[in-house]
Amino acid sequence: LRENKDVLLNTMNVFITEPLLEWEKLARRCANEQGGNDGQSAWFPKEKIRIATKKLDGYNPALILVEELQGSVHAKRPYLPYLEKITKGVPEDNIRARVGEQCSSVA
């Protein structure tokens, strides 16, 4: 996938102009729960493509997930710090906590 990521990302760009109905619903829900308005849902497809690009570029999946949690319906919940801690892991036990911002391999 990484070698041909441009093809995938170009295909995904269609979702910016024609987002999925489910994305629209989730984007509206996120905006409402975070104190925004429905007009803010236009960012959602662009954000999904940005995240996919980071994954294809080899960024640490745990850090990407933390970013996604921070921009989700969980953002203002009291349990968010615990989710972030679990996701990042601890260096003594989890490789995801030791690899840094970018991974050379996802295997």
Side-chain angles (χ1 to χ4, degrees), residues 4-55:
N4 297 310
K5 70 181 181 180
D6 291 336
V7 174
L8 178 61
L9 293 173
N10 287 332
T11 304
M12 290 178 71
N13 276 319
V14 171
F15 293 110
I16 291 175
T17 56
E18 299 177 29
L20 296 172
L21 182 59
E22 290 301 313
W23 277 11
E24 284 288 328
K25 289 178 184 177
L26 184 57
R28 275 190 237 109
R29 179 177 162 211
C30 288
N32 287 337
E33 290 190 16
Q34 294 176 9
N37 59 47
D38 287 347
Q40 292 178 324
S41 65
W43 64 268
F44 199 75
K46 291 178 185 175
E47 181 64 12
K48 290 297 181 185
I49 291 170
R50 187 188 71 77
I51 289 167
T53 302
K54 287 184 87 166
K55 289 178 180 180

Side-chain angles (χ1 to χ4, degrees), residues 26-34 40 43-44 47-48 50-51 63-77 80 84:
L26 184 57
R28 275 190 237 109
R29 179 177 162 211
C30 288
N32 287 337
E33 290 190 16
Q34 294 176 9
Q40 292 178 324
W43 64 268
F44 199 75
E47 181 64 12
K48 290 297 181 185
R50 187 188 71 77
I51 289 167
L63 299 180
I64 294 171
L65 181 55
V66 168
E67 277 186 51
E68 288 184 278
L69 288 169
Q70 292 169 347
S72 74
V73 296
H74 305 287
K76 293 186 177 180
R77 303 283 194 238
L80 179 64
E84 290 176 356

Side-chain angles (χ1 to χ4, degrees), residues 86-102:
I86 291 166
T87 301
K88 289 178 182 177
V90 291
E92 300 82 33
D93 299 321
N94 308 106
I95 192 169
R96 66 182 179 270
R98 295 190 298 263
V99 295
E101 190 172 306
Q102 280 199 293

